[in-house]
Amino acid sequence: MQRIFLLLLLIAPVLLFGQKDDRIAKGVSPITEIPVVQMPPQDNAALMAEENARRAIGVAYRFAENIPTLITPNTHGQWEFTPDMAVWRVRIASPGAYSLNLGFGQYVMPAGGKLLLYRPDYQKIAGPFTPADNEDHEQLWTPIISGDELVIEVQLPHRSVDDLQLKLDFVNHAFEDFLAVASGSCNLDVICGQADGWGIVDPHRDIIQSVAVISTGGGTFCTGFLVNNVAEDCTPYFMTANHCGINASNAPSLVAYWNFQNSVCRQPNSPASGGAGNGTLDDFNTGAIFRATRSASDFTLVELDDPVSETANAYFAGWDARGVAVSSAIGIHHPSTDEKRISFENNPLSFTTYSSSTPTSNYTHVRVADWDVGTTEGGSSGSPLFDQNERVIGQLHGGGAACGNNLSDWYGSFAVSWNSGTNANSRLRDWLDPGNTGTMVLDGRWSSACGGFGISIEDPAQTACKPTAAAWTVEAVGNFTGSASLTVVGAPAGATFSFNPAIIEAGETSTLTMQTTNVTPGNYNFTIRGNDGSGNQDVAVSLLLLPGSQTAPTLSAPANNATGLAPNPILSWNGDNSGATTYQVQIATNANFTTIVETANTTSTSFQPTLANNALTRYYWRVRATNECGTSPYSTVFNFTTNTITCVTFSANAPIAISAVGTPSMTDEIFIDEDQIITSVSVHLEVTHTYVGDLDASIVTP
């Protein structure tokens, strides 16, 4: 019995290691065979010491070192081709890193493609990143993957390989464990509520959902929050502090992590509250567009370059731009990048300049004299300060507040940031009230309730085999009443289509069916349009239509019955009309292919054998095409005959040293063995170039 138990213990890790997520490619080489790119060694202790020396109030914390690199699918890693897809993988290792994240300076994913990141043990995976992540700035900065090694995997339709544009510029090595950093024990988890003795938290479940922990440039962290705009249209405006260092050039590197919070309430001032939590960083948005910033009131506004994650249960925070008296306040933040916490100030706030306790009419900041519940820490920078009406009045600049003291915090004033800048790049008004309606107070709004009519398409990139119909699922989304009609704009020539139903209401779905009988195979891009009477909502979709009946390739070279060829000649064929994604080549020594010497699969329309290498031998070859629709018949059979094989050897006198005296020259013999008849050829070489010292020369080819 003990032996059986020991055997199970030995087997279990192997089974665990072998379990793969369904998103990861199947039918490819084991992960251990994928090339590893090793990063230069990093000294975590030295990097942490350097970081501790630079940390100060009003300075954004760093947790990772940016390692410049240049990795592309053309220079590193390994391509493999399965019948269903092309797969590129590479392993990135930076020994000793607590976690890794990546900065792609170029990311252009073709239709049907996706990128995944995962640990070699498959226990952590991020993605897929798809064409929906293509942005004008062409960058992609990824979330954190714990551990010091990760795998990059790209899956593509075979014919899209040449359309992939991917360049990895930075590997970001974490010298501090983002997930293990613990905030002070006096902090209060946002998950706490009435059942835990903290009923004061429950009324604020909405504004809690506006806050995220963020990283920028793969190594700097702060807190930030979603902010509502007067149109209430779910534009993903996101605010943080100016000193967090986000600007026009690095805004694409912003990653916002939603719902990073502990799963249970850790009672304040308990050992658990002062220890590491169990939150995860699995729900995120990556990439942003810089909109405005101003150092005087320490704000930065960006616009996330994708809609907020559907699983974030996001809330767009309301605000008050009037600069009126505040009787109490709430702070929601990620202290030291720990799980999300909430703080309460039960006394009136004052309007001051930064780090001053003296109220003034020429203020730039809002001062919290002393938190009554909880506190803030490094990492809380950029977090929102809410008034008694749950409206944002500022974002954290800095201060001395911490567990165990009664020191103050200062928040850049939202009222000052609203209109004090000189242009749209330095104030909030132009973005949050673009219609200049004069609105100065706005309540928050759940993402599920804001905005009007829209449509969402499940799997916008479809592949079909002629004459099979293609289909898309269309859903009406947004906060609207009444119904919306659906139509197609720019349909492929010859296509006929129908919606079932053609009119839908909010939350309902319709199926678009497109008949392909009279459509020429190819790639098509068109638009599905919805209209609810107030305007059009368009979503781009695509169709890759493949020939349903595969055409056999036409062989081209070498010509049929060719003779006198060198061994292993390059074989070529015409695949333009086959609709193929891969080709299978067979080579045999008889016309009925009962004696096959080589079989190979390739995505190219040419192939060079390795085993058609016998002298004076006739070889027969044929090719068939494969795509998602099936496999074609084999082509017509061609044959070729190889020539005699000539072996060349040198005499034992070579190499011969050539003297620098006189006219440098050498004479030697090479021996040619052709059909077992040995002949010799005298070779004479003269060197005419001027040189210094001795020169060794040898005959490389006869």
Side-chain angles (χ1 to χ4, degrees):
M1 186 66 176
Q2 290 178 336
R3 292 180 180 177
I4 294 174
F5 180 69
L6 178 60
L7 181 61
L8 289 173
L9 288 177
L10 293 172
I11 291 174
V14 177
L15 292 175
L16 181 63
F17 184 87
Q19 291 174 347
K20 295 184 182 180
D21 190 286
D22 288 339
R23 290 169 285 181
I24 297 173
K26 308 297 190 296
V28 291
S29 300
I31 202 70
T32 53
E33 297 180 10
I34 302 304
V36 179
V37 181
Q38 193 94 352
M39 294 297 105
Q42 306 295 313
D43 186 333
N44 286 351
L47 290 169
M48 194 69 243
E50 179 183 343
E51 170 62 12
N52 285 331
R54 67 175 286 280
R55 286 185 176 177
I57 296 173
V59 176
Y61 284 13
R62 294 177 65 250
F63 70 95
E65 180 76 1
N66 302 120
I67 305 174
T69 187
L70 180 57
I71 296 172
T72 75
N74 294 326
T75 59
H76 294 80
Q78 177 175 300
W79 280 102
E80 295 183 77
F81 299 90
T82 73
D84 298 323
M85 69 184 76
V87 180
W88 175 75
R89 291 180 295 169
V90 66
R91 293 166 65 181
I92 305 294
S94 189
Y98 289 103
S99 65
L100 296 174
N101 70 89
L102 306 177
F104 291 95
Q106 186 176 44
Y107 174 91
V108 180
M109 184 63 61
K114 60 184 177 181
L115 180 146
L116 302 166
L117 304 175
Y118 51 89
R119 291 192 343 202
D121 62 4
Y122 306 112
Q123 298 307 298
K124 186 71 174 180
I125 183 169
F129 302 93
T130 70
D133 296 290
N134 293 341
E135 306 296 344
D136 290 341
H137 51 66
E138 293 191 355
Q139 297 184 46
L140 176 69
W141 291 72
T142 72
I144 291 167
I145 299 288
S146 59
D148 61 4
E149 185 176 336
L150 60 77
V151 180
I152 306 172
E153 178 176 305
V154 174
Q155 301 173 19
L156 293 168
H158 294 96
R159 65 180 59 221
S160 299
V161 169
D162 292 339
D163 297 326
L164 174 68
Q165 299 177 52
L166 191 68
K167 180 167 66 73
L168 178 62
D169 287 345
F170 291 99
V171 173
N172 306 308
H173 170 113
F175 54 81
E176 182 177 37
D177 191 348
F178 196 98
L179 292 171
V181 175
S183 57
S185 63
C186 72
N187 280 290
L188 176 62
D189 282 314
V190 295
I191 196 69
C192 296
Q194 181 67 46
D196 309 295
W198 294 100
I200 57 173
V201 179
D202 289 327
H204 308 299
R205 297 295 169 200
D206 47 5
I207 59 175
I208 287 171
Q209 293 303 117
S210 70
V211 178
V213 64
I214 62 174
S215 66
T216 309
T220 302
F221 61 79
C222 280
T223 301
F225 58 99
L226 289 166
V227 59
N228 198 12
N229 74 90
V230 172
E232 297 192 293
D233 59 3
C234 288
T235 300
Y237 289 125
F238 189 88
M239 283 187 66
T240 188
N242 169 275
H243 75 265
C244 291
I246 301 174
N247 52 50
S249 61
N250 68 13
S253 71
L254 184 146
V255 180
Y257 298 93
W258 310 109
N259 300 312
F260 179 51
Q261 57 196 51
N262 212 54
S263 63
V264 296
C265 179
R266 296 171 291 180
Q267 288 295 332
N269 300 309
S270 68
S273 186
N278 63 2
T280 65
L281 299 171
D282 295 334
D283 200 347
F284 59 88
N285 270 72
T286 177
I289 305 164
F290 172 82
R291 293 307 187 198
T293 194
R294 192 164 183 260
S295 59
S297 53
D298 194 48
F299 89 91
T300 292
L301 178 74
V302 299
E303 181 180 342
L304 304 181
D305 58 26
D306 287 311
V308 179
S309 164
E310 292 182 359
T311 55
N313 189 28
Y315 185 80
F316 290 79
W319 38 264
D320 191 330
R322 297 174 299 174
V324 297
V326 180
S327 60
S328 62
I330 306 152
I332 302 170
H333 54 104
H334 287 273
S336 298
T337 72
D338 196 6
E339 283 80 353
K340 194 183 300 184
R341 306 277 197 152
I342 188 167
S343 304
F344 292 91
E345 169 57 63
N346 299 322
N347 298 305
L349 278 59
S350 58
F351 295 93
T352 70
T353 56
Y354 183 56
S355 76
S356 171
S357 59
T358 303
T360 175
S361 60
N362 193 29
Y363 65 90
T364 56
H365 287 69
V366 182
R367 174 177 175 250
V368 176
D370 172 28
W371 291 106
D372 295 313
V373 176
T375 188
T376 62
E377 300 179 16
S380 302
S381 289
S383 62
L385 180 68
F386 295 91
D387 66 10
Q388 66 277 5
N389 298 310
E390 290 195 322
R391 299 176 186 135
V392 172
I393 54 172
Q395 69 291 324
L396 182 61
H397 186 163
C403 289
N405 71 30
N406 296 314
L407 300 180
S408 301
D409 275 336
W410 283 264
Y411 288 75
S413 167
F414 192 95
V416 173
S417 302
W418 181 254
N419 203 34
S420 293
T422 57
N423 53 42
N425 292 332
S426 57
R427 62 191 180 213
L428 293 172
R429 185 198 70 195
D430 303 71
W431 304 101
L432 302 186
D433 186 16
N436 197 24
T437 65
T439 300
M440 299 296 287
V441 179
L442 185 69
D443 288 331
R445 201 163 180 85
W446 287 99
S447 59
S448 58
C450 67
F453 164 71
I455 57 174
S456 175
I457 311 297
E458 184 178 343
D459 297 329
Q462 293 289 330
T463 298
C465 304
K466 184 178 178 177
T468 303
W472 292 261
T473 300
V474 185
E475 181 181 5
V477 297
N479 180 33
F480 74 101
T481 58
S483 60
S485 60
L486 301 171
T487 188
V488 171
V489 178
T496 58
F497 61 87
S498 62
F499 287 92
N500 183 23
I503 298 177
I504 53 178
E505 297 180 356
E508 293 183 341
T509 60
S510 174
T511 300
L512 165 62
T513 302
M514 182 170 289
Q515 303 298 332
T516 65
T517 304
N518 298 316
V519 180
T520 302
N523 277 298
Y524 298 96
N525 297 297
F526 55 97
T527 298
I528 297 177
R529 171 170 292 173
N531 187 298
D532 70 335
S534 64
N536 294 326
Q537 291 293 323
D538 293 344
V539 176
V541 296
S542 65
L543 170 64
L544 171 59
L545 183 61
L546 300 171
S549 178
Q550 284 280 59
T551 302
T554 302
L555 307 188
S556 56
N560 194 23
N561 299 314
T563 60
L565 301 183
N568 294 322
I570 295 176
L571 311 177
S572 301
W573 56 91
N574 184 343
D576 292 343
N577 297 320
S578 69
T581 53
T582 60
Y583 297 94
Q584 185 184 76
V585 184
Q586 283 190 343
I587 304 169
T589 55
N590 60 346
N592 59 6
F593 285 81
T594 58
T595 309
I596 296 174
V597 296
E598 189 166 359
T599 298
N601 293 307
T602 178
T603 59
S604 174
T605 54
S606 64
F607 172 72
Q608 184 166 21
T610 59
L611 300 176
N613 55 9
N614 289 329
L616 298 174
T617 301
R618 177 172 292 181
Y619 290 98
Y620 299 83
W621 63 289
R622 61 185 183 180
V623 181
R624 64 181 178 182
T626 299
N627 66 14
E628 287 90 336
C629 304
T631 301
S632 76
Y634 276 109
S635 64
T636 301
V637 176
F638 273 23
N639 72 80
F640 62 86
T641 303
T642 55
N643 204 349
T644 57
I645 298 175
T646 300
C647 298
V648 177
T649 59
F650 292 98
S651 75
N653 296 328
I656 299 172
I658 302 175
S659 172
V661 180
T663 301
S665 65
M666 64 168 282
T667 301
D668 199 15
E669 290 183 318
I670 61 175
F671 298 92
I672 301 174
D673 181 358
E674 187 170 351
D675 294 337
Q676 298 183 347
I677 300 174
I678 299 176
T679 59
S680 64
V681 178
S682 178
V683 177
H684 182 76
L685 171 68
E686 289 189 358
V687 180
T688 58
H689 296 287
T690 302
Y691 67 96
V692 178
D694 292 337
L695 173 67
D696 285 342
S698 60
I699 303 296
V700 178
T701 58

